[in-house]
C-alpha cells in the first residue's frame, strides 16, 4: 500500500488510476477524491520481486503412557526473499492456533527474529529490513498440550 500526503491540494478528480511501479504496470485502482483523510492509501498489490515461502516443520508428539496429557510440538519456517536492487522494509504477519477450550494449552516455544506476539489472537508480527538480493529465514515452534481424551485436529 502506498501512502500519499498532500494529495488534497492537487484538485484531483475521482476516477480510475493506472498504477506503475519502477517502470512496470502493476494494475488499476479506483480513486475517490471525496475522501476525508489527508493521507491517500493506494493498494499496490503483491510485488513478485518479494518472495515468500512457508513450510511446516516436522510434528513431534509426546504420548508418555503414565501422563494424562498429550503434548504436540509443531512449527513452520518462512523464507522471505528480496530480489529487488534496493533494500525494502516490510511487515510480516502470521498466526499460531488459539485454544477455544481451557483444558487445551497452546504456547510459543521459539520464534526467530524480533517478533511481537499477541496472545489473544495468536498473531506474530515481524518488522523486517531486507537488503538487496538477500533472504531471511524465520522459524516458529509452538506446543499444544491437551488431555488424552480430547481430540486435537491440526490443519
Amino acid at each position: 500500500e502506498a501512502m500519499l500526503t498532500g494529495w488534497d491540494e492537487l484538485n484531483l478528480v475521482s476516477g480510475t488510476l493506472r498504477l506503475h511501479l519502477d517502470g512496470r504496470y502493476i494494475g488499476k485502482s479506483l480513486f475517490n477524491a471525496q475522501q476525508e483523510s489527508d493521507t491517500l492509501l493506494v493498494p499496490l498489490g503483491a510485488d513478485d520481486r518479494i518472495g515468500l515461502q512457508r513450510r511446516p516443520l516436522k510434528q513431534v508428539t509426546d504420548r508418555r503412557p503414565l501422563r494424562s496429557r498429550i503434548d504436540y510440538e509443531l512449527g513452520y519456517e518462512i523464507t522471505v526473499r528480496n530480489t529487488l536492487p534496493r533494500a525494502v522494509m516490510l511487515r510480516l504477519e502470521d498466526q499460531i492456533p488459539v485454544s477455544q477450550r481451557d483444558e487445551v494449552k497452546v504456547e510459543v516455544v521459539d520464534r526467530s527474529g524480533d517478533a511481537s506476539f499477541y496472545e489473544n489472537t495468536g498473531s506474530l508480527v515481524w518488522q523486517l529490513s531486507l537488503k538487496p538480493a538477500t533472504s531471511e529465514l524465520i522459524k516458529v515452534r509452538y506446543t499444544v498440550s491437551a488431555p488424552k481424551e480430547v481430540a486435537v485436529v491440526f490443519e
Side-chain angles (χ1 to χ4, degrees):
E1 219 173 41
M3 297 187 301
L4 307 170
T5 57
W7 68 273
D8 51 340
E9 299 172 6
L10 298 175
N11 296 324
L12 299 174
V13 179
S14 298
T16 302
L17 296 174
R18 292 177 49 89
L19 301 172
H20 294 263
L21 180 64
D22 294 335
R24 297 180 329 148
Y25 173 72
I26 58 173
K28 292 182 181 180
S29 183
L30 294 176
F31 170 66
N32 178 8
Q34 307 304 316
Q35 295 184 52
E36 299 290 327
S37 174
D38 62 348
T39 302
L40 174 65
L41 300 176
V42 180
L44 298 177
D47 189 340
D48 58 358
R49 296 169 296 175
I50 304 293
L52 185 75
Q53 185 176 25
R54 187 177 190 268
R55 291 179 303 275
L57 298 174
K58 183 180 178 198
Q59 178 179 329
V60 178
T61 305
D62 182 2
R63 298 178 186 262
R64 291 183 222 166
L66 298 178
R67 293 185 61 210
S68 61
R69 302 183 72 77
I70 299 176
D71 294 330
Y72 305 90
E73 186 173 316
L74 302 107
Y76 52 88
E77 59 184 25
I78 301 171
T79 305
V80 184
R81 184 174 301 110
N82 176 16
T83 61
L84 290 166
R86 65 179 179 279
V88 294
M89 298 282 299
L90 60 95
R91 175 184 167 111
L92 176 65
E93 295 184 33
D94 210 310
Q95 186 177 23
I96 65 165
V98 176
S99 174
Q100 301 299 312
R101 299 174 69 171
D102 290 338
E103 65 269 20
V104 178
K105 305 292 182 204
V106 179
E107 185 177 326
V108 175
V109 175
D110 183 35
R111 63 181 185 258
S112 49
D114 189 22
S116 300
F117 177 59
Y118 303 94
E119 282 189 53
N120 56 336
T121 62
S123 295
L124 292 158
V125 179
W126 291 266
Q127 299 294 335
L128 301 175
S129 176
L130 291 174
K131 293 180 181 173
T134 61
S135 62
E136 186 164 339
L137 179 67
I138 294 173
K139 289 185 181 182
V140 175
R141 293 201 70 76
Y142 59 94
T143 59
V144 177
S145 180
K148 284 185 177 182
E149 63 274 1
V150 175
V152 180
V153 178
F154 302 107
E155 295 179 7

